[in-house]
């Protein structure tokens, strides 16, 4: 049975009158790939910093690997944690390799692992170049390589794909997948919801310092009961025929968008809708069924609160 | 909560800070400044009296004391003012503190590394000048010169400690630099004038027996007294320093006071940084 690597109980963080984190309870299991999403200022980064022991909690308890984050034993736990901050700042006067060696010394990691890690993130050729000349994407790759020093068992990745090109994003998640197979736990935030919806095991949606929803993408969809989206491409002039065909589907909503028509209906009416659309064989050129995306879920919870 | 200190972590930070200053030629630049100024002042120090050339070591040191009092605190404050606030403003402090290192170790590492760079450039700069002067003045004079160099290093460390404290307390680099310059003005330019002003204005209306003790509240004055009191001839050249009774002029007492000036601001910095 997987054990909890992160345990957050009733965590509260106040900055004066601002309740940045407000009574968060959360557990993350070993080997889990966990997403933390929310609006800007929802409290994700503050919670990250609290879990890393960078910010003391106003109230509540946070344990990583069973150790309180502000305790003496947490130093040893930290050697097994990799962190990639949202606003990554590195030393411009040093080369990528020198930065890796510096952090390797701090983490008591094997300095011989620095070059292979730079190779892993695609920075082998730039290893000896000063970071001053690195692009944003290269800096982000270097930050990720730094987080992987010392074979971490737990990764905190705050907006890890910031500045990465599509190839870089794919390589990043490929590495993450490999690490997960080795039992590494990762907790990450991202504003690009499409990017993480297929990749995380579970996620938490934060809003005004609280966890508004917690679960798998599937379970959150179920909880909101968001409609399915049928995307249809019709022959020109077939709109009226479609309206007539759907006249006996009162729960369906139809939206014309140029050549594409979106028909939304409750999930439980999926087969009824498919049967109705099958009858339109002569006017239907294409049909796609789209499950509600994580973005739909995110916006659904936002609407529910509003 | 008690946390044990890992000296290795202090060493990692100190080593980076030190080598950063070597690589960007900061140490070299400061050493050259010290050498050139030291030689120029040693040679032209008596120009006001209508003579130039190398004179006795005591007079040379007296001339260099003024140089050091202006230059070393300024260099130390510039060196240390962004030690912490700079990391915070760039955003690298967060990443550093996510490593297995305590606030204390990080701060001490910064101080030790910067102090090493400052001490190295002071020794190299004044040392080279000292070697060149020894040809003119004889090796025996170097004994006093070594004392002068060591006290200059202590002075630098005292102001570096103040700079690190400022760096911890300031909310941004701009404020930190303003505070550093303000402190330099206060300790190097204003403090003695203030004391003299009080002395003159009081017109013996107050009991001023505590007055010499006030000199201990300025590391620049402690440095001046340390280097001036040893030479009878030079003491006469200085006004304020000579008001100090002999009991307060013990090199050990002065040295201890200087060490306190290193420890106390650093202690406050550690306390605030935590």
């Amino acid at each position: 049975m997987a054990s909890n690597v992160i345990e957050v109980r009733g965590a509260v963080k106040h900055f004066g009158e601002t309740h940045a984190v407000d009574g968060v309870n959360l557990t993350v299991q070993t080997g889990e790939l966990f997403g933390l999403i929310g609006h800007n200022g929802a409290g994700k980064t503050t919670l990250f910093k609290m879990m890393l022991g960078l910010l003391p909690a106003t109230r509540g308890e946070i344990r990583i690997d069973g150790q309180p984050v502000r305790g003496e034993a947490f130093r040893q736990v930290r050697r097994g944690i990799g962190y990639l901050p949202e606003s990554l700042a590195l030393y411009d006067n040093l080369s990528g390799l020198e930065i890796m060696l510096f952090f390797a010394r701090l983490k008591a990691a094997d300095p011989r692992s620095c070059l292979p890690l730079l190779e892993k993130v695609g920075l082998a050729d730039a290893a000896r170049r000063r970071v001053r000349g690195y692009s944003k994407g290269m800096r982000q790759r270097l930050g990720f390589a730094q987080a992987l020093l010392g074979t971490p068992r737990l990764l905190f990745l705050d907006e890890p794909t910031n500045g990465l090109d599509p190839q870089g994003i794919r390589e990043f998640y490929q590495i993450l997948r490999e690490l997960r197979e080795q039992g590494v736990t990762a907790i990450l935030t991202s504003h690009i919801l499409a990017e993480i919806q297929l990749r995380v095991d579970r996620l938490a949606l934060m809003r005004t310092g609280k966890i508004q929803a917690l679960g798998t993408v599937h379970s959150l969809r179920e909880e909101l009961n968001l409609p399915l989206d049928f995307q249809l491409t019709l022959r020109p002039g077939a709109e009226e025929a479609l309206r007539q065909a759907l006249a006996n589907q009162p729960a369906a909503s139809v939206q014309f968008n140029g050549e594409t028509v979106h028909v939304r209906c409750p999930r439980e009416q999926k087969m009824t809708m498919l049967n109705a659309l099958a009858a339109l064989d002569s006017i239907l050129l294409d049909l796609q069924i789209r499950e509600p995306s994580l973005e739909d879920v995110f916006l659904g919870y936002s609407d529910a609160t509003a | 909560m008690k946390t044990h200190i890992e000296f290795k972590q202090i060493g990692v930070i100190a080593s980076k800070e030190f080598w950063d200053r070597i690589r960007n030629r900061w140490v070299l630049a400061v050493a050259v400044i010290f050498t050139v100024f030291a030689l120029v002042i040693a040679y032209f120090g008596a120009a006001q009296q209508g003579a130039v050339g190398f004179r006795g070591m005591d007079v040379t040191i007296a001339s260099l004391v003024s140089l050091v009092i202006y230059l070393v605190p300024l260099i130390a404050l510039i060196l240390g003012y962004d030690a912490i606030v700079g990391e915070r403003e760039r955003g690298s402090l967060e990443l550093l503190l996510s490593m297995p290192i305590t606030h204390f170790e990080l701060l001490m590492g910064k101080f030790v590394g910067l102090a090493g760079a400052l001490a190295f450039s002071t020794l190299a700069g004044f040392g080279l000048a000292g070697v060149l002067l020894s040809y003119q003045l004889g090796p025996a004079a170097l004994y006093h010169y070594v004392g002068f160099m060591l006290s200059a290093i202590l002075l630098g460390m005292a102001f570096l400690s103040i700079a690190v404290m400022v760096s911890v307390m300031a909310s941004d680099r701009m404020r930190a630099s303003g505070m550093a310059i303000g402190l330099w003005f206060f300790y190097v330019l204003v403090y003695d004038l203030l004391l003299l002003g009080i002395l003159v204005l009081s017109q013996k209306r107050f009991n001023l027996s505590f007055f010499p003790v006030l000199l201990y509240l300025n590391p620049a004055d402690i440095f001046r007294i340390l280097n001036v009191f040893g030479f009878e001839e030079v003491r006469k050249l200085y006004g304020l320093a000579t008001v100090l009774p002999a009991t307060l002029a013990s090199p050990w007492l002065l040295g201890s006071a200087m060490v306190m000036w290193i420890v106390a601001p650093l202690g406050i910095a550690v306390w605030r940084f935590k």
Side-chain angles (χ1 to χ4, degrees), chain A residues 20-303:
Chain A
V21 171
D22 200 3
V24 166
N25 291 295
L26 180 70
T27 54
V28 178
Q29 294 188 332
T30 305
E32 206 171 8
L33 187 48
F34 191 90
L36 199 56
I37 61 171
H39 292 279
N40 292 330
K44 306 182 298 286
T45 299
T46 305
L47 183 59
F48 248 51
K49 288 181 186 176
M50 290 166 76
M51 289 192 282
L52 282 160
L54 297 173
L55 277 177
T58 309
R59 272 200 310 278
E61 189 186 24
I62 301 175
R63 285 176 178 268
I64 306 288
D65 259 355
Q67 298 295 339
V69 293
R70 305 286 289 181
E72 163 65 17
F74 193 59
R75 186 203 287 265
Q76 195 51 37
V77 176
R78 269 200 172 130
R79 295 195 202 279
I81 292 178
Y83 174 45
L84 174 60
E86 182 186 7
S87 309
L88 179 66
L90 298 163
Y91 304 104
D92 280 2
N93 59 324
L94 301 182
S95 70
L97 182 59
E98 285 167 335
I99 286 178
M100 289 291 284
L101 287 167
F102 169 62
F103 285 114
R105 280 195 288 270
L106 276 179
K107 280 182 103 172
D110 186 352
R112 287 171 300 182
S113 66
C114 294
L115 259 180
L117 281 173
L118 287 172
E119 275 173 32
K120 194 171 194 166
V121 299
L123 283 179
D125 293 340
R128 288 183 169 80
R129 267 169 47 197
R130 286 197 180 192
V131 170
R132 186 174 291 124
Y134 278 25
S135 68
K136 172 119 178 65
M138 289 166 81
R139 284 166 187 260
Q140 199 69 1
R141 285 165 188 260
L142 177 58
F144 185 42
Q146 165 279 132
L148 298 180
L149 277 166
T151 52
R153 286 174 292 115
L154 173 60
L155 288 169
F156 286 91
L157 309 167
D158 202 353
E159 304 283 348
T161 55
N162 257 354
L164 292 184
D165 56 28
Q167 176 73 19
I169 293 173
R170 181 184 289 184
E171 286 166 5
F172 165 77
Y173 280 109
Q174 175 62 33
I175 295 171
L176 216 52
R177 227 181 347 261
E178 289 167 15
L179 290 168
R180 188 170 164 253
E181 282 162 14
Q182 294 161 22
V184 174
T185 311
I187 175 162
L188 60 104
T189 70
S190 180
H191 284 297
I192 309 167
L193 302 181
E195 190 184 294
I196 62 168
Q197 73 170 7
L198 296 173
R199 284 149 169 154
V200 295
D201 298 311
R202 283 193 310 142
L203 58 91
L205 198 161
M206 283 194 77
R207 188 180 177 87
T208 57
K210 293 184 170 71
I211 290 191
Q212 193 180 11
L214 177 67
T216 61
V217 177
H218 180 73
S219 71
L220 298 186
R221 272 185 197 140
E222 295 284 310
E223 196 176 303
L224 278 179
N225 196 22
L226 291 172
L228 289 174
D229 183 15
F230 292 76
Q231 289 182 22
L232 316 176
T233 309
L234 302 177
R235 287 188 191 285
E239 290 85 357
E240 194 47 42
L242 176 71
R243 280 203 182 93
Q244 283 174 10
L246 298 181
N248 57 349
Q249 301 285 334
S253 71
V254 184
Q255 187 190 345
F256 291 91
N257 187 8
E259 289 181 355
T260 311
V261 184
H262 290 271
V263 178
R264 290 188 182 86
C265 73
R267 179 179 295 272
E268 57 273 17
Q269 289 182 14
K270 182 178 176 181
M271 294 315 293
T272 317
M273 178 59 70
L274 272 175
N275 286 332
L277 293 173
L280 299 172
D281 187 36
S282 57
I283 60 162
L284 205 56
L285 297 175
D286 190 29
L287 164 66
Q288 286 181 41
I289 305 173
R290 200 175 65 87
E291 285 278 349
S293 66
L294 185 54
E295 190 178 318
D296 296 325
V297 172
F298 181 83
L299 295 173
Y301 275 105
S302 296
D303 293 344

Side-chain angles (χ1 to χ4, degrees), chain B residues 120-203:
Chain B
F120 187 71
S121 51
T122 308
L123 276 179
F126 285 120
L128 182 62
V131 170
L132 296 173
L133 287 173
S134 70
Y135 286 111
Q136 301 290 329
L137 305 171
L142 281 180
Y143 172 76
H144 289 298
Y145 193 78
V146 168
F148 156 76
M149 280 199 299
L150 292 178
S151 60
I153 289 170
L154 282 179
L155 176 69
M157 288 190 186
F159 275 93
L160 182 65
S161 176
I162 292 170
V164 170
M165 181 184 73
V166 164
S167 188
V168 168
M169 289 175 159
S171 55
D172 55 64
R173 291 178 74 198
M174 190 71 91
R175 277 170 219 255
S177 63
M179 284 162 77
I181 291 168
L183 284 167
W184 181 80
F185 264 97
F186 178 74
Y187 282 120
V188 175
L189 301 177
V190 176
Y191 190 82
D192 287 358
L193 283 177
L194 206 65
L195 290 194
L196 277 170
I198 293 169
L199 205 60
V200 172
L201 287 173
S202 67
Q203 299 282 332

Side-chain angles (χ1 to χ4, degrees), chain A residues 49 54 70-72 75 78-79 83 85 88-89 91 93-94 98 102-103 105-107 130 146, chain B residues 1 3-4 6 8-9 13 16 20 23 87 90-92 94-100 102 105:
Chain A
K49 288 181 186 176
L54 297 173
R70 305 286 289 181
E72 163 65 17
R75 186 203 287 265
R78 269 200 172 130
R79 295 195 202 279
Y83 174 45
L88 179 66
Y91 304 104
N93 59 324
L94 301 182
E98 285 167 335
F102 169 62
F103 285 114
R105 280 195 288 270
L106 276 179
K107 280 182 103 172
R130 286 197 180 192
Q146 165 279 132
Chain B
M1 182 175 61
T3 308
H4 76 274
E6 282 191 14
K8 185 179 163 283
Q9 300 297 68
I13 300 290
K16 179 187 173 294
D20 274 357
R23 285 158 57 111
E87 297 272 8
R90 279 190 296 273
S92 46
E94 196 179 280
L95 184 57
L96 275 176
L97 289 173
S98 75
M99 298 284 144
T102 62
E105 288 158 2

